[in-house]
Amino acid sequence: MTVLIISGDADPTTNRVVRELDKRSTPVFRCDVGWFPAGLALDAVLDGSRWRGSLGTPHRAVRLEDLRSVLFRGPTGFTFEAGLSPAELRHVRLEARLGLGGVLMSLPVLWCNHPARQADAGYKPLQLAVAAQCGFLVPATMVTNDPEAVLRFTASVPHVVSKVLGVNRIDDGAVVRIAYTRFLETSDLVDLEGVRTTAHLFQEWLEKSYEVRVVAVGSALFAVAIHAHSAASRIDWRSDYEALSYSVVDLPKEVAASIRRFLEAFGLAFAAFDFVVTTDGRWRFLEANPAGQYGWLEDVVDVPISAAVADFLAGVT
């Protein structure tokens, strides 16, 4: 039985899992939906209650009925031939999503994660509400496009940060811009007209001892503390990796229980959870990324996460 991997070509986390599956002599068929339709062909016929057929590239193919599991990690968008009008492009993109996506999502196999469940979990306001329902301690949070609402929120919360709701990277031609978490100063509140442009997330700033990334793979949980040693990294550790140190930490039982409730609520097999451990020792939930990165943690501390993903996909217990 074959593991189907749907991912962008450059995802380093996927590369690690592929190497682990190769160690287990588990067949892999890797593709990106961005190859469709020119470099990826779908041939599927409904046979009773399931689709049978094949998924293929110019070099190899896999039968849909030979798949045992799917690793779904951030594929790129469809690629179509030049010269299509905007209306034609909208049409073919929708047909591709409903056709290829619909067949794949119907496969009765083990998913890590199913695209629909992963999409649901990607809505940060939804995950914050579900996190609170699952027993996590969640910071005070506002989502708004109203400057007056921001002033009201910042007046009631001593210290506030702003965060993006989705991907924090904007590729603008040759220019790449990164939106890190921003600590709001009084001067930032003088002119808030830019808030009207779209939805913004504002959140209570938590005084921390350190942060923790917990990677969940099925029933396995791997917790790594992230210690920040610079002013920038204390606000957003992604902004200064050179100022970080790491250590494996024990996961409180109540946090582990809440993580498992959260995974069950969203139907996820994998997620990377981020927590702040405050100065009084409490674990506060920040977010859960259903396609989060972890590879650099394997390089600095002994956490066999890729091996756990490979075992999950290969059905090794």
Side-chain angles (χ1 to χ4, degrees), residues 104-119:
L104 292 177
M105 287 197 291
S106 75
L107 296 176
V109 298
L110 186 68
W111 282 86
C112 183
N113 292 303
H114 191 283
R117 307 291 84 75
Q118 186 154 306

Side-chain angles (χ1 to χ4, degrees), residues 46 49-52 64 99-109 111 114-115:
L46 186 63
S49 62
R50 70 160 294 167
W51 292 92
R52 300 184 184 275
L64 299 179
L100 176 63
V103 169
L104 292 177
M105 287 197 291
S106 75
L107 296 176
V109 298
W111 282 86
H114 191 283

Side-chain angles (χ1 to χ4, degrees), residues 70-191:
V70 182
L71 176 63
F72 181 84
R73 280 191 60 85
T76 61
F78 298 111
T79 304
F80 300 101
E81 63 183 32
L84 295 176
S85 70
E88 291 171 329
L89 190 58
R90 287 193 298 271
H91 172 73
V92 296
R93 184 176 289 122
L94 178 61
E95 292 297 291
R97 181 172 65 84
L98 297 178
L100 176 63
V103 169
L104 292 177
M105 287 197 291
S106 75
L107 296 176
V109 298
L110 186 68
W111 282 86
C112 183
N113 292 303
H114 191 283
R117 307 291 84 75
Q118 186 154 306
D120 289 345
Y123 289 97
K124 192 169 291 185
L126 174 60
Q127 66 171 244
L128 288 168
V130 171
Q133 294 163 15
C134 291
F136 288 119
L137 298 173
V138 178
T141 306
M142 163 175 274
V143 177
T144 186
N145 67 330
D146 182 354
E148 293 299 322
V150 178
L151 292 175
R152 185 181 73 245
F153 184 73
T154 55
S156 63
V157 177
H159 302 291
V160 175
V161 293
S162 63
K163 301 179 178 181
V164 295
L165 286 152
V167 178
N168 72 331
R169 177 187 175 107
I170 300 175
D171 292 310
D172 190 5
V175 179
V176 177
R177 291 176 288 174
I178 306 294
Y180 295 116
T181 300
R182 179 183 176 87
F183 190 94
L184 293 188
E185 305 287 356
T186 303
S187 58
D188 295 318
L189 305 178
V190 174
D191 182 4

Side-chain angles (χ1 to χ4, degrees), residues 227-248:
H227 305 275
H229 304 290
S230 69
S233 63
R234 284 191 62 79
I235 296 174
D236 189 329
W237 53 258
R238 299 169 300 175
S239 68
D240 190 2
Y241 280 91
E242 295 300 318
L244 304 177
S245 62
Y246 308 89
S247 60
V248 175

